[in-house]
Amino acid sequence: MKNKYLKGSFLPAIGWSVAFIALFSYLQLKGLYNLYFMEQWQIFLYDWSYVSSVLWQPGGFVQLASDFLVQFFVSPYCGALIVALLLTLIGLITSSVLKRLAPNVHLYAISLLPAVSLLILQFNVNYHLSGTLAFLLLTVGLNVYLRVQPLLARVLFASCSSLIIFLLAGPIASLFAIIVLLIELFLHFRSSYIFLLPVAIVWLLAMICLHLGVTGEFKHLLLPDGYFTSSLKAGNIIYQPWGLMLAIVLASLLLHSVKTLKKNILIANLTCQFIVLGWFVHFSLSSMIDSRYEFFKELDYYMRTENWDKILQQCKETDVNNSLYQNCQNVALAETGKLAECLFDYPQQGLQSIYLPWDNTPYISVLLSDVYFSMGHIAMSQRMAFESNVGGNNYNPRMLKRLVQTNLIYGAYRVAEKYITILEKTRYYKEWAHSQRRFLDNDTAVKNDPLLGLKRGCVFPENCFSGKNGIDSDLKHIIDHNPSHRATIQYLGSIYLLMNDIPKFKSMVESYYGTNALPSLPKAWSNELSRK
């Protein structure tokens, strides 16, 4: 009795506890900045109009639940705890599903394959946590379905569940209906045709939603593309958890009739499962997570928290070999007043090291908004902040803050108030938003603020389209109107040097040297002039 109790209770509990601890540790140690990054792309508003607008859409419930959970990722341990718990539950309930399909085979280890695949997807910046929550709902639905015995009850449950899952979780309903049909084909072949009904229900619901204009593409209603940023193309990896779930369900169905295994066969079976799981974990973590993007997410976090010294330290210790890193690095140099002096102390790759060409993606829009704000180019910073929210599927709280700041700088107080009101409906940004209300309709307060006042001076009144005559022309306007904003002239000189446009660099120095904009010549610039 004691051995039976240990085998039936303690060992599975210990195993799942170990799985949870491993997932939590990995997410906390290797995925912390990814979780911080995720938090910036999903926002939850404590506002009924927002809640109701999301809920009416197919999958609105899991989207809303995802937004609610992701808001807590701003705290250091909450993100890892939440995601590890969700993935462990998916593995645990999947194990229960496989146990009911193949009760004598003990498919414990491979039940974690979909969870590991979902773990990898968490590192894809375009994948939404709603897809993981939907997958959890799928496993719960299958687990309950397998407990229903009478044929009529199974048909009714599968049909109603397909409808409910589609409304609550969106595309995952199609996987639920297909798996149910697959199970019936293997276990109850003669009556399996009836279970085409759940498939037809999901298909019909998708057709109705497409007709109503809920989405522009069928795949966003029936495939995992629905849990991916709609404006971007999902890669094949988005299908991996679904494919693995189908594969392990099929494997368990093929082993359904296997009787009790002998001890040596059972040990060999478990050993093979752990080898497969171990190989998949190693392969996925080593080849499907790009360390370059993870480093950028770390730099992005330091940019958001204005930890300029940390950025420079990390860039000194890492091979900063691409323009994304270098943009962050040069913003940090500019914000610490070192851009002119230390430009070539760090790796540079031409003009793109200062600012990247805009590619219409929300992530580059955020970076460019930071770059332009550092330059003092408020118009372009505001535009990029706006584009970042248009390009994503949700608000970016950091860019909402930027829109508050830029509209206060311009004196567009009603627009600024609109964004303040949005942020006041959040949990972690409402205090900051409320503190900005003191600037509304108060030009004196804006001018006296160390940040807003300095940036307001960068707004040049000339009626010209930003960027029409080149970024250098805009920066010259800013320097002429606000010579005290020293970062602007440092950017301008750095742009000329990285373009190797020495005539314009010399002309700039001759125009501004000895003025408030350039009271003294940086040693690095002096060396460049003497060398050229």
Side-chain angles (χ1 to χ4, degrees), residues 506-527:
K506 288 181 176 179
S507 176
M508 179 207 72
V509 172
E510 290 171 0
S511 298
Y512 293 110
Y513 182 46
T515 68
N516 289 336
L518 191 63
S520 60
L521 197 61
K523 185 177 179 180
W525 285 12
S526 179
N527 292 338

Side-chain angles (χ1 to χ4, degrees), residues 311-494:
I311 291 175
L312 296 177
Q313 177 189 335
Q314 291 296 91
C315 289
K316 277 288 188 182
E317 297 173 355
T318 307
D319 183 17
V320 185
N321 56 3
N322 69 52
S323 299
L324 283 174
Y325 303 165
Q326 291 161 5
N327 272 242
C328 299
Q329 156 199 290
N330 289 330
V331 168
L333 286 171
E335 292 300 314
T336 54
K338 301 175 183 177
L339 183 60
E341 193 64 58
C342 302
L343 177 68
F344 293 110
D345 292 346
Y346 294 82
Q348 307 290 347
Q349 293 177 324
L351 187 58
Q352 289 193 2
S353 298
I354 289 289
Y355 70 100
L356 291 164
W358 185 46
D359 64 356
N360 293 316
T361 64
Y363 315 109
I364 297 301
S365 299
V366 169
L367 177 60
L368 285 174
S369 181
D370 285 343
V371 170
Y372 286 123
F373 197 74
S374 178
M375 287 180 177
H377 203 321
I378 307 306
M380 288 300 293
S381 178
Q382 184 180 69
R383 181 191 169 190
M384 289 296 103
F386 182 78
E387 293 290 352
S388 72
N389 286 316
V390 171
N393 285 5
N394 209 322
Y395 289 122
N396 181 304
R398 172 176 166 193
M399 290 296 101
L400 288 176
K401 291 171 71 174
R402 178 62 44 75
L403 289 170
V404 170
Q405 292 172 325
T406 54
N407 280 290
L408 289 174
I409 290 167
Y410 276 114
Y413 296 122
R414 299 288 72 80
V415 181
E417 186 176 24
K418 179 184 76 171
Y419 293 115
I420 287 172
T421 301
I422 292 174
L423 285 170
E424 283 179 331
K425 295 174 182 177
T426 66
R427 183 183 186 91
Y428 290 101
Y429 301 96
K430 61 182 179 182
E431 290 185 11
W432 180 91
H434 186 70
S435 72
Q436 302 304 296
R437 285 193 173 274
R438 71 182 186 275
F439 297 116
L440 295 176
D441 302 305
N442 192 339
D443 288 337
T444 302
V446 172
K447 290 178 182 178
N448 291 335
D449 184 75
L451 176 64
L452 299 180
L454 181 63
K455 298 295 183 182
R456 176 172 278 194
C458 295
V459 177
F460 51 90
E462 285 84 350
N463 185 20
C464 65
F465 187 74
S466 296
K468 179 180 179 181
N469 299 314
I471 186 69
D472 58 330
S473 175
D474 290 347
L475 295 183
K476 286 177 183 177
H477 281 300
I478 296 169
I479 294 168
D480 292 339
H481 287 91
N482 190 7
S484 61
H485 193 266
R486 299 290 170 76
T488 308
I489 197 167
Q490 293 193 36
Y491 271 109
L492 181 60
S494 299

Side-chain angles (χ1 to χ4, degrees), residues 138 142 175-184 245-246 249:
L138 164 78
L142 289 174
L175 182 60
F176 173 82
I178 290 170
I179 290 177
V180 167
L181 178 60
L182 185 64
I183 292 171
E184 292 295 330
M245 190 67 182
L246 280 170
V249 166

Side-chain angles (χ1 to χ4, degrees), residues 5-20:
Y5 179 76
L6 285 171
K7 290 176 72 174
S9 180
F10 283 151
L11 292 181
I14 292 172
W16 290 112
S17 298
V18 169
F20 170 76

Side-chain angles (χ1 to χ4, degrees), residues 155-378:
V155 174
L156 289 174
F157 179 85
S159 301
C160 293
S161 294
S162 298
L163 170 64
I164 294 170
I165 291 174
F166 183 83
L167 296 176
L168 295 181
I172 202 74
S174 61
L175 182 60
F176 173 82
I178 290 170
I179 290 177
V180 167
L181 178 60
L182 185 64
I183 292 171
E184 292 295 330
L185 282 169
F186 272 83
L187 302 185
H188 310 95
F189 179 75
R190 294 191 177 209
S191 58
S192 61
Y193 68 93
I194 306 175
F195 289 86
L196 289 170
L197 179 60
V199 176
I201 288 173
V202 174
W203 184 270
L204 179 62
L205 289 170
M207 290 290 290
I208 292 172
C209 290
L210 195 66
H211 179 73
L212 294 175
V214 173
T215 184
E217 295 187 63
F218 216 44
K219 63 183 180 179
H220 292 130
L221 293 166
L222 293 176
L223 297 174
D225 300 70
Y227 306 114
F228 201 80
T229 300
S230 58
S231 59
L232 300 173
K233 185 177 180 180
N236 292 332
I237 192 174
I238 197 78
Y239 298 94
Q240 190 181 78
W242 287 33
L244 286 171
M245 190 67 182
L246 280 170
I248 61 176
V249 166
L250 179 59
S252 61
L253 287 170
L254 291 172
L255 298 169
H256 174 74
S257 59
V258 172
K259 304 301 180 183
T260 304
L261 296 178
K262 295 181 180 180
K263 183 178 179 180
N264 57 341
I265 297 177
L266 178 60
I267 293 173
N269 167 44
L270 292 173
T271 302
C272 289
Q273 287 185 57
F274 279 109
I275 290 173
V276 170
L277 177 63
W279 172 85
F280 183 71
V281 170
H282 173 74
F283 172 78
S284 299
L285 297 182
S286 61
S287 65
M288 296 185 186
I289 297 177
D290 194 327
S291 59
R292 296 172 300 173
Y293 291 139
E294 297 315 302
F295 183 63
F296 171 70
K297 292 171 187 176
E298 182 177 356
L299 294 181
D300 178 82
Y301 172 75
Y302 297 137
M303 290 274 282
R304 178 161 57 91
T305 56
E306 299 182 0
N307 194 341
W308 312 121
D309 291 335
K310 189 66 176 178
I311 291 175
L312 296 177
Q313 177 189 335
Q314 291 296 91
C315 289
K316 277 288 188 182
E317 297 173 355
T318 307
D319 183 17
V320 185
N321 56 3
N322 69 52
S323 299
L324 283 174
Y325 303 165
Q326 291 161 5
N327 272 242
C328 299
Q329 156 199 290
N330 289 330
V331 168
L333 286 171
E335 292 300 314
T336 54
K338 301 175 183 177
L339 183 60
E341 193 64 58
C342 302
L343 177 68
F344 293 110
D345 292 346
Y346 294 82
Q348 307 290 347
Q349 293 177 324
L351 187 58
Q352 289 193 2
S353 298
I354 289 289
Y355 70 100
L356 291 164
W358 185 46
D359 64 356
N360 293 316
T361 64
Y363 315 109
I364 297 301
S365 299
V366 169
L367 177 60
L368 285 174
S369 181
D370 285 343
V371 170
Y372 286 123
F373 197 74
S374 178
M375 287 180 177
H377 203 321
I378 307 306

Side-chain angles (χ1 to χ4, degrees), residues 32 35-36 39-40 69-79 301 304 427-429:
L32 180 60
L35 295 169
Y36 287 148
E39 185 269 333
Q40 285 297 293
L69 292 175
V70 168
Q71 70 176 322
F72 298 106
F73 288 14
V74 72
S75 299
Y77 297 98
C78 284
Y301 172 75
R304 178 161 57 91
R427 183 183 186 91
Y428 290 101
Y429 301 96

